Amino acid sequence: MILQVALDLTDVEQAISIAEKAARGGAHWLEVGTPLIKKEGMRAVELLKRHFPDRKIVADLKTMDTGALEVEMAARHGADVVSILGVADDKTIKDAVDVARKYDIRIMVDLIGVKDKVERAKELEKMGVHYILVHTGIDEQVQGKTPLEDLGKVVKAVKVPVAVAGGLNLETIPKVIELGATIIIVGGAITKAKNPEETTRRIIDLFWGEYMLTIRKAVGDIVDHISQVAESLKIEQVRGMVDAMIGANKIFIYGAGRSGLVGKAFAMRLMHLDFNVYVVGETITPAFEPGDLLIAISGSGETRTIVDAAEIAKKEGGKVVAITSYANSTLGKIANIVVEIPGRTKTDIPTDYIARQMLTKYKWIAPMGTLFEDSTMVFLDGIIALLMATFQKTEKDMRRKHATLE
């Protein structure tokens, strides 16, 4: 969750003073409110960004027309996020998104005044907006309205982060957290408080209960998955990998991205055990020759660079061990030995895996390839434990080969 403080004031110096206190209290984003922009213009955006370069600055323009022009103005003056009205014409919103992409900033669309908020939210998501704001205005609040009912519906209807604003305070914030808001916008409860810093800190403390639940849930899910992987390991696959390693002249490890980092950690431990091991891509990596072994790590089994390396290794007369979630992938079919490390559901196929990573459509509790990479790292540590026992190596023996030039 993100705390955005709405500086709906008319004096920029007062706004900066309150923003300083809110920032010390832990506020993540600072909003240059609509009244402040109307009074001071883009100068207010520029001054806030200059004073708070380590905070996201939101320009609450509530743009209704000329989306491209106004977003560009805000971006050039330091805004990180610009608000557009949801009742604006689709072209206004699409133009705003296009300009935001050019300047690498974000668009938040405010649903204030929109009748069917759920349907409009779905339309806005398709247009590529970054955040959707469920907002109950001050005049609506006077009539006893709140954003709570609409918030829950919108959160369920879209995948983009949903912001919420409208008279929020220490009493109502726990409810919007429960309903799934990602960005919580607080104005008067902070800007009119006797001690804005303390009030901000108390709001952030409310967030941390949810933060810890999220962390614990993620850790628990990952640990449960790794336990399932350990139980599902096939003895013939693991035996094939270990036998190939013991018989190899040289061992080459190759993985891309985070899988590559897992591979490097494994290579370091093999070096500690006196294996002749190299990481593909390093400047000191020698030629691959007959009798050598390539351990290729790819969750999808379709990473082009990894597949190419496996084809070369086979052509040069060596062996390939594939560590992947998909035995029938291109890499799996090339390899002499496949070790399957489940990282996705049984219904997934490699092409879906890659598409979801590119589009960031993944299970939030285990982002992108986390389940595969974490499971592979722990599995490879298990292989190291086996090799230590096989060759009667102790931690003291391994420590002798640990890096000293650090």
Side-chain angles (χ1 to χ4, degrees), residues 1 30-31 37 41 46 54-55 86 100 112-113 135 161 174 184 195 204 221 265 335-336 342 344 349 364 379 399:
M1 285 163 295
L30 301 172
E31 174 192 317
I37 289 178
E46 188 170 335
D54 61 338
R55 296 292 192 277
I112 191 169
H135 184 189
I184 297 175
N195 190 332
I204 293 294
D221 280 5
N336 301 92
R344 297 286 168 175
I349 57 175
W364 69 271
F379 163 67
R399 203 169 288 118

Side-chain angles (χ1 to χ4, degrees), residues 243-257:
D243 287 348
M245 291 174 64
I246 292 173
N249 295 328
K250 300 191 295 293
I251 297 175
F252 294 76
I253 313 273
Y254 195 19

Side-chain angles (χ1 to χ4, degrees), residues 130-353:
H130 304 94
Y131 313 111
I132 294 172
L133 168 58
V134 177
H135 184 189
T136 300
I138 293 174
D139 294 340
E140 291 178 305
Q141 293 173 43
V142 172
Q143 301 171 51
K145 296 181 181 180
T146 76
L148 297 182
E149 183 178 351
D150 291 325
L151 175 62
K153 294 176 181 176
V154 172
V155 167
K156 291 177 181 177
V158 297
K159 293 184 175 66
V160 296
V162 176
V164 60
L168 300 180
N169 53 42
L170 286 163
E171 286 68 42
T172 56
I173 287 173
K175 183 60 178 178
V176 299
I177 290 173
E178 182 183 328
L179 289 170
T182 299
I183 303 164
I184 297 175
I185 303 174
V186 180
I190 290 176
T191 61
K192 296 177 182 178
K194 290 183 179 179
N195 190 332
E197 180 178 343
E198 177 59 25
T199 302
T200 303
R201 187 171 286 112
R202 289 175 66 189
I203 292 171
I204 293 294
D205 286 345
L206 292 175
F207 288 12
W208 271 100
E210 189 72 14
Y211 287 163
M212 292 307 297
L213 284 175
T214 299
I215 292 170
R216 291 189 178 107
K217 179 68 165 63
V219 171
D221 280 5
I222 292 168
V223 169
D224 288 346
H225 181 80
I226 291 173
S227 296
Q228 293 171 19
V229 169
E231 292 299 320
S232 68
L233 288 171
K234 298 179 175 64
I235 186 171
E236 65 275 12
Q237 294 181 353
V238 179
R239 179 175 178 176
M241 175 177 173
V242 173
D243 287 348
M245 291 174 64
I246 292 173
N249 295 328
K250 300 191 295 293
I251 297 175
F252 294 76
I253 313 273
Y254 195 19
R258 280 170 48 107
S259 292
L261 297 177
V262 170
K264 287 183 177 182
F266 184 48
M268 181 180 71
R269 290 289 183 240
L270 290 177
M271 178 272 291
H272 292 157
L273 290 171
D274 289 324
F275 279 84
N276 191 11
V277 60
Y278 300 92
V279 174
V280 175
E282 299 292 335
T283 55
I284 60 169
T285 303
F288 190 94
E289 299 171 317
D292 292 343
L293 172 68
L294 172 66
I295 298 177
I297 307 172
S298 170
S300 67
E302 301 293 337
T303 308
R304 191 65 253 169
T305 54
I306 310 300
V307 170
D308 289 346
E311 290 174 342
I312 292 170
K314 291 291 289 292
K315 182 179 178 181
E316 294 298 323
K319 289 184 178 180
V320 175
V321 168
I323 300 177
T324 180
S325 295
Y326 302 96
N328 291 323
S329 63
T330 303
L331 177 62
K333 292 175 181 177
I334 293 171
N336 301 92
I337 302 107
V338 175
V339 178
E340 292 177 90
I341 303 293
R344 297 286 168 175
T345 64
K346 291 180 180 179
T347 57
D348 289 343
I349 57 175
T351 51
D352 291 339
Y353 178 100

